[in-house]
Every structure is written in structure tokens, then in C-alpha cells.
Amino acid sequence: MTVSVTLRWGRHELMGQLVTDPTTGRVGRLDGVLEHVARGTGRVLRVEAHLRPVDGSGVEWTADAGALVAIADSS
């Protein structure tokens, strides 16, 4: 069965903060959250975090928004 999905920007309590993804060990600043929502039911299927790098690489990355952990910001 195929589910039709709509994307929308969401909110997150760690927005703008320095976070780590424990599953990968990567560190970044939470820049946005994209919700994948089933059309018709409105059920949120996935919440994808978009993070900005803090290592100077310039490469933004994504992670499961539910897995993120805040870390102390030394900047």
C-alpha cells in the first residue's frame, strides 16, 4: 500500500541549539525540522532534523529529530 505524503516545516524544542546525534556521533546546530505527514489522516510518519555543521566542513546533514541530544555550547 502506498501512502501519499505531504511535507511541512515543524517545531522542535532544541531548534537553534548545538546538538549531537548519538547514533552517528555527529555534532551540529539544529536549523530546521521537516515533518513527513500522511495525506488524509494527518499522521506524522517521520520527523527529519536538518543540521548545520560546526566542524567547518560546510556540509549540512539530516538526522532523526527524536534522537537528538542537546550539548553544551562553547561558542
Side-chain angles (χ1 to χ4, degrees):
M1 182 172 138
T2 303
V3 176
S4 184
V5 175
T6 299
L7 300 177
R8 69 180 180 204
W9 289 108
R11 298 174 189 234
H12 196 282
E13 64 273 6
L14 299 176
M15 193 69 72
Q17 294 185 37
L18 196 58
V19 297
T20 187
D21 178 1
T23 61
T24 63
R26 295 185 77 178
V27 176
R29 191 164 304 279
L30 182 56
D31 189 45
V33 173
L34 192 60
E35 296 177 334
H36 299 243
V37 182
R39 287 187 186 171
T41 65
R43 185 171 63 108
V44 177
L45 304 173
R46 181 174 179 224
V47 182
E48 180 180 273
H50 289 253
L51 299 114
R52 292 187 182 264
V54 292
D55 61 3
S57 68
V59 179
E60 294 184 7
W61 50 284
T62 61
D64 175 5
L68 300 176
V69 177
I71 58 176
D73 191 348
S74 61
S75 60

